[in-house]
């Protein structure tokens, strides 16, 4: 096989203009004709079987592309629009019936943002992980045989799709002369190459079926035995394994060209020789995809942490660090057994869930904290004290959360009819025991994530109300309402006092941090005790995302923010309100109890490149990580650049094709961002100069 | 009586003022007046008003509170009559745009220590600590000693960043409490030294000689300015002197840059910064080679990859594993 370095350009483009062999099968039109015939002949068929039929059809009959010059062949015409149409047909049938009470604003379906009530809810088809352990242990034939033991519609559907996958392995294997694929049609993987091939193909087929794969599992732990066996048998050397990893990883980049959330590979907590190799290869590749996460403990070897820090220092910022012990503590505190909790994996960006036993839908619901404050202010009531004002805020929050629960439960009831997933469900032992799909509570832990969003704006706004109205008495509540209604126009002096004199989250200022703690301590149990429609619970996470888009939907706030401007991300301070540097920001953040947010949290640290230069810079980075973890912090990620570089990149994107920025839980090329998104990074970078 | 210091500003997450992550306290007042000074706001001992023109929105709030009528507005220009200013700070409080800043405020040793202790966990994991800088911190040696006494009780590592031009007695006050001296070395030729810094260097060199006999680690910091102190004789003279002194752990070469130029305007001082370009990477490597020839441990900060000569972080709780350790 061609060496990766010389093949890289071609591999990066492997999904552009895929040339399907017209002799190898049907095009989308042909598949559609067969599928429509099936639907006509089987009216009233259970949706899970219809879906399975379509996936089976694609695997066995759709055109494929031979790839003799890639270790990992796998291109089948996904017939994406057929799956899309099928899903939306079901949504259009069922959604209006379920939500006939007009409780959904506008004509939103599947994904709803109701900013009037400060909530968002959706059928989350974007945050899953299959059971990678079972997949690698059983292979397609084993998964098929396990499914064949049951007789429910789900079982039959699973048998159908795995039969399809086996046939696809044969077709692709023959067309590409790929022995690994031919072997996978017969048995579980035995070599590292077969294991990677299986993982890649499984991921691809699951996404064709319609549930996004948001983690590829533990890189070191899942693959170490394959690696060691191959080394021992002389099938691989460290160098040839490096080639294999690069061919494997680049496929994830190639599919979306680094413009989507990407796929996460997790490292640790047990560090083995594959952990080191992977981290070295990541530095060498310098790619925006895949993303990595590291489960850090006090025992994480320093040389491994330094390797990770070196990646960060050198702009490979697709790495998030998670506090292993705090995450486990949070999961145990919220209903998982200790043994299960130790098998956690970050799904999506940094949202922990138990691998092989949990469907966490970590992006399903959102609670927009600052919008709740605006709801409260809209009611026009007077409050004699700040305590009373705060109390009303929490009451409003409770009302919103109850509405959120109600709406989300209705979404979840539709899930199994709208997007049944036999291919994914078949990987879970529990789904196969119960005959229930992942959308029907088929796994052990069926959670609903609730992203508690824009914490900093909420803290700063409450702190500003206290400061302006109740402490300094610079304005009354009605005056503040007027100022906000006018988007602060005509109230510039008051706005500047709110911005530059009122206490702010992220400065180790107890006046603000105390309010932050109170919000966190109120919202976490409130959310975590809500039951969902799948026999599980809501689980709170604490981070802000989509900061430009959501910012546009949130009006002027008491902290001096103008309507429509970007909001803060993750656990960060409002831009540019962390005026005391990153240690103070961390000190504020560390006042919260992160085990109360079992569905994940993350702090973004932005550092100037001069702070992390050289070997000393690596030591600074590892010290930050160690200190943050030791003090009970949880998720941590970095952005390292200076404002001048970013401005230059805005002007001359061609010079900065490799410049990565960490957006929220994922990293992209800076030049792929829209100008307004770029500007938020520049504003943040200016603050650290 | 509580010992008070007179400070300019704090720098948290300071990573260039000694090892690890540190908090640096900049004190006000300096016995030198280096033409290239990067902290002109810390040179004079009296408080001064700073004005950041780019932040001013010409709202006039400052003029409304100034007891001496220093602030005036003509068209789009905000003028400050510094001859009348008594640095009372009233306009600073009134400015909601952070355009005005007061350089020089009293702080007690206890208060300073508390601020420093906020970040102690970061010092612990990075072998960092506290640094006093300036200005010349040893002009306030009693305050530094008092601050260090409190910090030492808490196990915090303490460093002094000094120009050396103070009476030896000032060193003696902080010596027993100081873990590291960052000692500026600007020029070996006393005549040139006087020309560039306003003072000869005899006392500085003598103090360095005495200090090097005391057993405390000393890191030498050399700002390198083309056309000023970057000639071969300058470097050879420095190398000759430094190589004969004990306890010098490293010589850190700092490439001159003029990024601080705007600070002169902010604080209303005449700009004395040399109009010379920053030394090139070749200049820096040349200096590094010459000084290394004297057996000195040189840290060239212009290089992205430096030699790591430090002790690695060790997990105090780690159990020795049987040989397989890192797995490599």
């Amino acid at each position: 096989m061609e060496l990766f370095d010389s093949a890289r350009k071609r591999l990066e483009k492997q999904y552009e203009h895929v040339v399907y062999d017209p002799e190898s099968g049907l095009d989308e039109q042909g598949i559609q004709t067969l599928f429509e015939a099936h639907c006509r002949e089987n009216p009233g068929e259970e949706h899970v079987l219809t879906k399975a039929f379509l996936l089976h059809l694609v695997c066995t009959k759709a055109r494929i592309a031979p790839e003799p010059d890639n270790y990992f062949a796998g291109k089948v015409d996904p017939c994406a629009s057929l799956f899309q149409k099928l899903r939306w047909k079901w949504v259009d049938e069922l959604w209006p019936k379920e939500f006939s009470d007009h409780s959904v604003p506008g004509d939103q379906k599947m994904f709803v943002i109701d900013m009037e009530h400060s909530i968002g809810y959706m059928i989350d088809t974007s945050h899953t992980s299959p059971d990678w352990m079972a997949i690698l242990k059983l292979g397609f034939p084993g998964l098929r045989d396990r499914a064949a033991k049951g007789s429910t519609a789900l079982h039959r559907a699973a048998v159908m799709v795995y039969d399809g996958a086996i046939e696809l392995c044969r077709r692709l294997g023959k067309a590409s002369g790929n022995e690994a694929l031919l072997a996978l049609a017969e048995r579980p993987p035995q070599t590292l190459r077969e294991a990677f091939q299986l993982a890649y193909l499984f991921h691809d087929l699951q996404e064709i079926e319609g549930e996004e794969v948001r983690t590829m599992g533990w890189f070191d732990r899942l693959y170490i035995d394959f690696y060691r066996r191959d080394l021992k048998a002389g099938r691989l050397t460290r160098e040839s394994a490096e080639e294999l990893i690069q061919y494997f990883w680049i496929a994830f980049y190639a599919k979306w060209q680094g413009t989507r959330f990407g796929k996460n590979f997790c490292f640790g907590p047990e560090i083995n020789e594959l952990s080191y190799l992977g981290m070295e290869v990541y530095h060498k590749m310098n790619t925006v995809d895949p993303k990595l996460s590291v489960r850090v403990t006090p025992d994480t070897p320093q040389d491994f942490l330094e390797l990770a820090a070196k990646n960060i220092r050198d702009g490979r910022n697709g790495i998030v660090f998670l506090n292993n012990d705090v995450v486990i503590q949070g999961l145990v505190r919220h209903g998982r057994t200790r043994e299960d909790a130790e098998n956690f994996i970050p799904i999506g960006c940094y949202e922990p869930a138990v691998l092989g036993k949990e469907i966490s839908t970590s992006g399903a619901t959102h609670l927009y904290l600052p919008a709740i404050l605006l709801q409260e202010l809209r009611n026009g009531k007077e409050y004699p004290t700040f305590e009373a004002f705060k109390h009303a805020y929490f009451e409003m929050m409770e009302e919103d959360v109850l509405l959120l629960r109600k709406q989300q439960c209705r979404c979840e009831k539709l899930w199994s009819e709208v997007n049944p997933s036999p291919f994914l469900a078949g990987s879970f032992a529990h789904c196969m025991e119960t005959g229930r799909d992942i959308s029907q509570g088929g796994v052990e832990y069926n959670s609903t994530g609730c992203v508690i969003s824009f914490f900093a704006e909420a803290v700063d706004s409450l702190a500003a109300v206290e400061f302006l109205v109740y402490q300094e008495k610079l304005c009354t509540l009605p005056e503040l309402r007027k100022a906000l209604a006018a988007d602060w126009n005509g109230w510039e002096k008051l706005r500047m006092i709110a911005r530059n004199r009122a206490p702010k989250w992220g400065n180790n200022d107890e006046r603000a941090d105390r309010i932050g703690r109170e919000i966190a301590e109120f919202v976490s149990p409130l959310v975590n005790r809500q039951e969902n429609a799948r026999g599980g619970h809501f689980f709170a996470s604490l981070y802000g995302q989509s900061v430009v888009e959501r910012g546009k939907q949130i009006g002027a706030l008491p902290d001096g923010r103008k309507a429509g401007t970007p909001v803060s991300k993750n656990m960060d301070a409002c831009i540019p309100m962390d005026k005391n540097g990153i240690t103070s920001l961390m000190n504020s953040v560390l006042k919260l109890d992160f085990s109360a947010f079992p569905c994940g949290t993350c702090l973004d640290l932005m550092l100037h490149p001069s702070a992390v230069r050289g070997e000393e810079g690596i030591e600074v980075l590892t010290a930050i990580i160690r200190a943050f973890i030791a003090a009970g912090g949880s998720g941590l990620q970095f952005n390292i650049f200076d404002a001048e570089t970013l401005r230059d990149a805005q002007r001359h994107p061609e010079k900065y094709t490799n410049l990565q920025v960490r957006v929220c839980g994922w990293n992209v090329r800076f030049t792929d961002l829209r100008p307004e998104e770029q500007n938020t990074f520049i504003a943040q970078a200016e603050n650290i100069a | 009586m509580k010992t008070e210091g007179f400070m300019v500003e704090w720098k948290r997450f300071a990573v260039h003022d000694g090892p690890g992550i540190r908090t640096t306290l900049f004190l006000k007042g300096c016995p030198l007046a280096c033409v290239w000074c990067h902290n002109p706001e810390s040179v004079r001992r009296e408080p001064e008003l700073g004005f950041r023109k780019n932040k001013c929105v010409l709202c006039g709030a400052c003029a409304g509170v100034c007891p001496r009528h220093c602030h005036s507005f003509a068209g789009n220009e905000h003028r400050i009559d510094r001859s009348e200013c008594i640095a009372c700070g009233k306009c600073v409080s009134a400015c909601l745009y952070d355009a005005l800043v007061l350089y020089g405020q009293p702080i007690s040793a206890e208060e300073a220590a508390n601020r420093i202790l906020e970040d102690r966990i970061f010092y612990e994991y990075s072998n960092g600590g506290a640094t006093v800088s300036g200005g010349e911190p040893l002009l306030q040696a009693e305050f530094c000693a008092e601050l260090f006494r409190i910090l030492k009780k808490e196990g915090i590592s303490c460093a002094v960043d000094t120009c050396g031009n103070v009476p030896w007695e000032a060193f003696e006050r902080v010596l027993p409490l100081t873990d590291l001296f960052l000692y500026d070395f600007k020029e070996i030729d006393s005549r040139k030294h006087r020309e560039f810094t306003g003072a000869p260097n005899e006392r500085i060199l003598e103090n360095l000689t005495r200090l090097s006999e005391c057993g405390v680690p000393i890191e030498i910091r050399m700002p390198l300015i083309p056309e000023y102190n970057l000639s071969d004789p300058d470097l050879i003279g420095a190398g000759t002197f430094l190589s004969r002194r004990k306890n010098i752990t490293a010589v850190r070469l700092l490439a001159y840059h003029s990024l601080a130029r705007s600070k002169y305007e902010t604080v209303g001082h005449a700009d004395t910064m040399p109009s010379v370009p920053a030394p090139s990477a070749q200049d820096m490597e040349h200096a590094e080679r010459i000084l290394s020839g004297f057996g000195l441990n040189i840290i060239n900060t212009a290089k992205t990859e430096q030699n790591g000569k430090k002790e690695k972080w060790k997990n105090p709780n780690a159990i020795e594993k049987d040989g397989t350790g890192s797995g490599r």
Side-chain angles (χ1 to χ4, degrees), chain A residues 238 272-273 276 280 298-300 302-303 306 313 492-493 496-497 500-501 508 579-580 582-584 586-587 590 607 610-611 613-616 619-620 623-624 626-628 630-631, chain B residues 12-13 15-16 20-21 92-98 115 118-119 121-122 125-126 252 299 301-308 310-313 315 317-319 321 325-328:
Chain A
R238 198 171 191 270
N272 59 41
E273 57 268 36
Y276 288 92
E280 279 172 32
D299 288 330
T300 302
Q302 178 67 5
D303 56 354
E306 284 177 5
R313 181 198 66 181
E492 186 60 11
K493 188 175 174 201
M496 290 317 292
I497 294 171
N500 290 339
R501 295 290 185 269
N508 200 18
K579 294 181 175 175
N580 278 332
I582 62 155
T583 53
S584 295
M586 282 189 276
N587 280 327
L590 287 167
L607 300 174
S610 66
R613 210 169 18 218
E615 285 296 319
E616 290 174 350
E619 287 172 26
V620 166
I624 291 172
R626 295 246 186 233
F628 188 70
Chain B
R12 290 163 181 282
F13 187 62
V15 291
H16 303 301
I21 297 170
V92 175
S93 309
C95 178
L96 293 171
Y97 296 86
D98 293 338
R115 293 286 290 270
E118 284 177 16
D119 286 354
I121 187 157
F122 301 103
Y125 279 86
S126 66
R252 190 175 289 262
I299 300 170
T301 56
K303 273 189 187 169
T304 47
E305 289 288 340
Q306 298 135 18
N307 297 328
K310 288 191 194 146
E311 200 183 321
K312 293 278 178 185
W313 185 90
N315 179 1
N317 307 315
I319 303 158
K321 286 180 192 147
S326 76
R328 274 194 291 189

Side-chain angles (χ1 to χ4, degrees), chain A residues 416-522:
Chain A
S416 65
E417 294 302 321
V418 165
N419 200 37
S421 307
F423 188 81
L424 168 59
S427 77
F428 291 99
H430 208 257
C431 286
M432 292 294 95
E433 277 161 30
T434 59
R436 290 203 304 270
D437 188 31
I438 56 127
S439 53
Q440 298 166 309
V443 295
E444 280 91 335
Y445 304 107
N446 299 283
S447 357
T448 298
C450 182
V451 187
I452 315 290
S453 301
F454 317 132
F455 182 72
E457 277 77 11
V459 176
D460 289 3
S461 291
L462 276 169
V465 168
E466 180 174 31
F467 183 84
L468 298 175
V469 179
Y470 296 98
Q471 285 174 346
E472 303 296 318
K473 300 190 174 26
L474 297 168
C475 66
T476 63
L477 210 50
E479 282 166 345
L480 184 61
R481 282 196 184 99
K482 267 189 214 157
L484 297 183
D487 196 14
W488 292 103
N489 291 318
W491 299 83
E492 186 60 11
K493 188 175 174 201
L494 190 65
R495 182 173 104 88
M496 290 317 292
I497 294 171
R499 271 176 78 80
N500 290 339
R501 295 290 185 269
K504 297 280 182 269
W505 169 252
N507 292 283
N508 200 18
D509 181 340
E510 190 53 22
R511 294 173 302 165
D513 297 351
R514 176 178 46 80
I515 293 172
R517 243 185 347 252
E518 283 179 60
I519 294 176
E521 283 165 14
F522 185 83

Side-chain angles (χ1 to χ4, degrees), chain B residues 51-76:
Chain B
F51 173 50
R52 303 183 186 118
K53 203 174 179 176
N54 60 330
K55 293 196 172 185
C56 178
V57 299
L58 305 169
C59 70
C62 47
V65 297
C66 180
R68 313 271 294 189
H69 309 293
C70 300
H71 299 277
S72 62
F73 294 86
N76 273 345

Side-chain angles (χ1 to χ4, degrees), chain A residues 24-26 31 53-63 76 160 163-168 171:
Chain A
S24 65
L26 301 171
I31 297 289
F53 181 86
L54 179 56
L55 185 58
H56 180 267
L57 200 56
V58 167
C59 286
T60 54
K61 298 262 175 19
R63 305 175 301 172
V76 58
M160 207 188 307
D163 273 339
I166 290 166
E167 177 58 20
L168 181 62
R171 296 173 67 210

Side-chain angles (χ1 to χ4, degrees), chain A residues 64-123:
Chain A
I64 56 171
E67 285 178 285
D69 49 3
N70 191 340
Y71 285 109
F72 307 108
K75 312 276 183 310
V76 58
D77 184 344
C79 304
S81 77
L82 299 185
F83 288 91
Q84 284 285 337
K85 272 188 258 173
L86 184 61
R87 177 194 294 197
W88 282 104
K89 178 176 163 255
W90 288 334
V91 170
D92 290 337
E93 275 169 25
L94 297 167
W95 184 278
K97 279 187 215 159
E98 182 64 47
F99 291 98
S100 58
D101 59 353
H102 305 292
S103 58
V104 173
D107 52 1
Q108 301 181 93
K109 278 179 200 161
M110 284 288 282
F111 178 35
V112 179
I113 294 172
D114 179 358
M115 208 48 98
E116 286 290 300
H117 297 98
S118 315
I119 56 176
Y121 46 91
M122 69 193 276
I123 302 177

Side-chain angles (χ1 to χ4, degrees), chain A residues 71-276:
Chain A
Y71 285 109
F72 307 108
K75 312 276 183 310
V76 58
D77 184 344
C79 304
S81 77
L82 299 185
F83 288 91
Q84 284 285 337
K85 272 188 258 173
L86 184 61
R87 177 194 294 197
W88 282 104
K89 178 176 163 255
W90 288 334
V91 170
D92 290 337
E93 275 169 25
L94 297 167
W95 184 278
K97 279 187 215 159
E98 182 64 47
F99 291 98
S100 58
D101 59 353
H102 305 292
S103 58
V104 173
D107 52 1
Q108 301 181 93
K109 278 179 200 161
M110 284 288 282
F111 178 35
V112 179
I113 294 172
D114 179 358
M115 208 48 98
E116 286 290 300
H117 297 98
S118 315
I119 56 176
Y121 46 91
M122 69 193 276
I123 302 177
D124 184 0
T125 60
S126 170
H127 290 91
T128 67
S129 169
D131 182 351
W132 291 113
M133 292 176 288
I135 292 163
L136 292 173
K137 190 174 153 211
L138 299 174
F140 286 132
L143 290 171
R144 184 212 172 276
D145 293 347
R146 185 170 75 179
K149 286 179 192 153
S151 57
T152 66
L154 178 68
H155 288 107
R156 282 179 283 140
V159 170
M160 207 188 307
V161 290
Y162 291 135
D163 273 339
I166 290 166
E167 177 58 20
L168 181 62
C169 286
R170 288 203 189 99
R171 296 173 67 210
L172 288 166
K174 272 183 212 151
S176 304
N178 186 318
E179 295 294 328
L181 274 163
L182 292 172
L184 289 172
E186 311 299 330
R187 56 163 173 77
Q190 289 175 354
T191 67
L192 188 62
R193 182 177 167 185
E194 288 169 11
F196 283 168
Q197 174 73 67
L198 175 60
Y200 191 74
L201 193 57
F202 194 101
H203 134 275
D204 226 7
L205 291 175
Q206 184 190 315
E207 297 207 328
I208 291 174
E209 182 182 63
E211 287 282 339
E212 225 172 324
V213 177
R214 289 301 296 280
T215 172
M216 295 301 296
W218 308 295
F219 180 74
D220 35 22
R221 183 170 147 195
L222 285 173
Y223 296 106
I224 185 65
D225 289 343
F226 295 104
Y227 177 62
R228 284 182 183 149
R229 270 204 303 271
D230 283 0
L231 284 188
K232 205 169 166 194
R235 282 190 295 264
L236 271 186
T237 60
R238 198 171 191 270
E239 289 67 37
S240 60
E242 208 173 285
E243 284 289 305
L244 215 51
I245 294 168
Q246 295 186 90
Y247 266 83
F248 180 44
W249 277 355
I250 206 70
F252 297 98
Y253 167 80
K255 204 162 175 193
W256 296 105
Q257 300 290 302
T259 58
R260 276 188 70 81
F261 308 116
K263 303 300 171 219
N264 190 300
F265 285 87
C266 183
F267 286 61
E270 291 296 320
I271 299 303
N272 59 41
E273 57 268 36
L274 200 54
S275 323
Y276 288 92

